[in-house]
Amino acid sequence: MRLTCMFSFILLFGAAGLVVFIHLQDPEEIVHQQTPALHISQRESAEALSWHGAAPSQPGSHREEINSMRLHKRRRRFVIKKSPILISMNSSALSLPTLKSEDRNNNKWKSLYQIQRERKRIMRETCSKYKSNNRRIITPYHVSRIFVEDKYRVLYCEVPKAGCSNWKRVLMVLNGLASSTKDIQHNTVHYGNYLKKLDGFDRKGIYHRLNTYTKMLFIREPFEKLVSAFRDKFEHPNNYYHPVFGKAIISRYRANATKEALRTGSGVKFKEFIQYLLDVHRPVGMDIHWDHVNRLCSPCLIDYDFVGKFESMEEDANFFLHLIGAPQNLTFPKFKDRHSNDERTTTKITQQYFAQLSPSQRQRSYDFYYMDYLMFNYSKPFEDLY
């Protein structure tokens, strides 16, 4: 009798230990046990987008998909509730919007189309060479900077200082929220919450839009974008960047700082700003205005259908609007709505700012943005960089 009780106790103890082990496992690992890892190549062919735990949709695989989903439901109770929403992505169903038949004999459209193909090729090859994304798992965080326009089925990843204010104006006009881009004020664009973000949708909504909408982003030469951000945030009155970033930067990097500078955070010098940027122990965190495009938009996880450049903004933007069938009277706005009296940040102005730095600081700054330079095919901004 005593032996039987001891045996039963051992069995119960073992079962309890198994349950505890399952609950302590990494939720991502549990999910990955349900399906084999997806080895996905970047390509232009239309492929399905599948949720974790469900096999990619293929002809004749309906029964396997149902069985996989049932298995997922049975095991889902073991996944910790606070785990992130996991999405497993293939390439977009819209690799690049197709030229209309009447445009195929238009040399201008054909040339712009080939430019897009080349930009996407370089981006994919860079991702394939430097990024390990075989599983290609994205979470709502990865789509948190993507704005949604449902009428023309557009997803736009916001890159600050690369025309984002005017792109939001265009999206608002496309959505019928305004009749003209000129009617929309800066604060309305950024603080009006008129545009939806992709991470605000449920799983089904994210799934549908990533798989069927035209996804685009516009980028800018990294050093030029950085100088533009510095001029905007630190050379003009700003009740957020001065007290939050300016005070911390001056306190850490300026010797014999005045009490006024420490109190207000105004007057940050470009060299001090670069010291902050390159410091692995920054006194204050990163900001979207000088973060990498690679982190903002995750181009190695999300296959963008269109990659525009600030340097050719008017041509690229209007080509994109043509591809999606936007109204012919809608063109990309040229106006500069903040600090309109200031000269736009150009290559010449950028070089003047970086001339204030030592060769070592310029090199480290280039290393900091190296993946953006490589992925979007920008030339080295200084000859002495390696």
mmCIF file of all heavy atoms in Angstrom, residues 13 15 19 23 75 148 173 294 300 347:
data_model
loop_
_atom_site.group_PDB
_atom_site.id
_atom_site.type_symbol
_atom_site.label_atom_id
_atom_site.label_comp_id
_atom_site.label_asym_id
_atom_site.label_seq_id
_atom_site.Cartn_x
_atom_site.Cartn_y
_atom_site.Cartn_z
ATOM 1 N N PHE A 13 3.963 14.201 -9.237
ATOM 2 C CA PHE A 13 5.040 15.188 -9.197
ATOM 3 C C PHE A 13 5.637 15.400 -10.585
ATOM 4 O O PHE A 13 5.920 16.533 -11.006
ATOM 5 C CB PHE A 13 6.120 14.707 -8.221
ATOM 6 C CG PHE A 13 7.236 15.692 -8.041
ATOM 7 C CD1 PHE A 13 7.081 16.804 -7.234
ATOM 8 C CD2 PHE A 13 8.448 15.503 -8.703
ATOM 9 C CE1 PHE A 13 8.118 17.701 -7.076
ATOM 10 C CE2 PHE A 13 9.469 16.402 -8.559
ATOM 11 C CZ PHE A 13 9.315 17.512 -7.743
ATOM 12 N N ALA A 15 4.110 14.905 -13.522
ATOM 13 C CA ALA A 15 3.135 15.603 -14.369
ATOM 14 C C ALA A 15 3.131 17.094 -14.067
ATOM 15 O O ALA A 15 3.072 17.940 -14.966
ATOM 16 C CB ALA A 15 1.742 15.002 -14.158
ATOM 17 N N VAL A 19 4.032 20.358 -16.637
ATOM 18 C CA VAL A 19 3.170 21.531 -16.858
ATOM 19 C C VAL A 19 3.937 22.814 -16.594
ATOM 20 O O VAL A 19 3.870 23.789 -17.358
ATOM 21 C CB VAL A 19 1.912 21.455 -15.962
ATOM 22 C CG1 VAL A 19 1.139 22.776 -16.023
ATOM 23 C CG2 VAL A 19 1.026 20.294 -16.397
ATOM 24 N N HIS A 23 4.886 25.932 -19.288
ATOM 25 C CA HIS A 23 4.505 27.321 -19.045
ATOM 26 C C HIS A 23 5.697 28.256 -19.008
ATOM 27 O O HIS A 23 5.570 29.441 -19.290
ATOM 28 C CB HIS A 23 3.727 27.434 -17.732
ATOM 29 C CG HIS A 23 2.265 27.120 -17.899
ATOM 30 N ND1 HIS A 23 1.369 28.064 -18.318
ATOM 31 C CD2 HIS A 23 1.565 25.971 -17.712
ATOM 32 C CE1 HIS A 23 0.156 27.524 -18.384
ATOM 33 N NE2 HIS A 23 0.252 26.256 -18.028
ATOM 34 N N ARG A 75 -2.847 23.989 -28.596
ATOM 35 C CA ARG A 75 -1.625 24.338 -27.889
ATOM 36 C C ARG A 75 -1.572 25.798 -27.464
ATOM 37 O O ARG A 75 -0.712 26.185 -26.687
ATOM 38 C CB ARG A 75 -0.417 24.045 -28.785
ATOM 39 C CG ARG A 75 -0.257 22.561 -29.083
ATOM 40 C CD ARG A 75 1.028 22.304 -29.818
ATOM 41 N NE ARG A 75 1.194 20.886 -30.103
ATOM 42 C CZ ARG A 75 2.242 20.381 -30.746
ATOM 43 N NH1 ARG A 75 3.196 21.184 -31.146
ATOM 44 N NH2 ARG A 75 2.331 19.087 -30.978
ATOM 45 N N VAL A 148 -1.952 54.038 -42.995
ATOM 46 C CA VAL A 148 -2.863 53.284 -43.857
ATOM 47 C C VAL A 148 -3.797 54.218 -44.603
ATOM 48 O O VAL A 148 -4.403 55.121 -44.014
ATOM 49 C CB VAL A 148 -3.699 52.293 -43.022
ATOM 50 C CG1 VAL A 148 -4.684 51.535 -43.905
ATOM 51 C CG2 VAL A 148 -2.792 51.334 -42.265
ATOM 52 N N VAL A 173 -5.672 63.646 -48.524
ATOM 53 C CA VAL A 173 -6.446 64.012 -49.717
ATOM 54 C C VAL A 173 -6.961 62.752 -50.410
ATOM 55 O O VAL A 173 -8.133 62.685 -50.828
ATOM 56 C CB VAL A 173 -5.595 64.865 -50.680
ATOM 57 C CG1 VAL A 173 -6.330 65.069 -52.001
ATOM 58 C CG2 VAL A 173 -5.263 66.216 -50.050
ATOM 59 N N ASN A 294 16.434 51.481 -41.370
ATOM 60 C CA ASN A 294 16.363 50.043 -41.184
ATOM 61 C C ASN A 294 15.560 49.669 -39.940
ATOM 62 O O ASN A 294 14.861 48.657 -39.909
ATOM 63 C CB ASN A 294 17.789 49.487 -41.092
ATOM 64 C CG ASN A 294 17.825 47.982 -41.016
ATOM 65 O OD1 ASN A 294 17.228 47.295 -41.829
ATOM 66 N ND2 ASN A 294 18.522 47.457 -40.018
ATOM 67 N N CYS A 300 13.959 44.792 -44.315
ATOM 68 C CA CYS A 300 14.361 43.400 -44.514
ATOM 69 C C CYS A 300 13.295 42.428 -44.024
ATOM 70 O O CYS A 300 13.398 41.222 -44.266
ATOM 71 C CB CYS A 300 15.691 43.123 -43.811
ATOM 72 S SG CYS A 300 17.106 43.933 -44.590
ATOM 73 N N THR A 347 23.360 69.283 -49.709
ATOM 74 C CA THR A 347 24.650 68.618 -49.571
ATOM 75 C C THR A 347 25.709 69.589 -49.072
ATOM 76 O O THR A 347 26.531 69.253 -48.204
ATOM 77 C CB THR A 347 25.085 68.018 -50.918
ATOM 78 O OG1 THR A 347 24.099 67.081 -51.354
ATOM 79 C CG2 THR A 347 26.431 67.321 -50.798
#
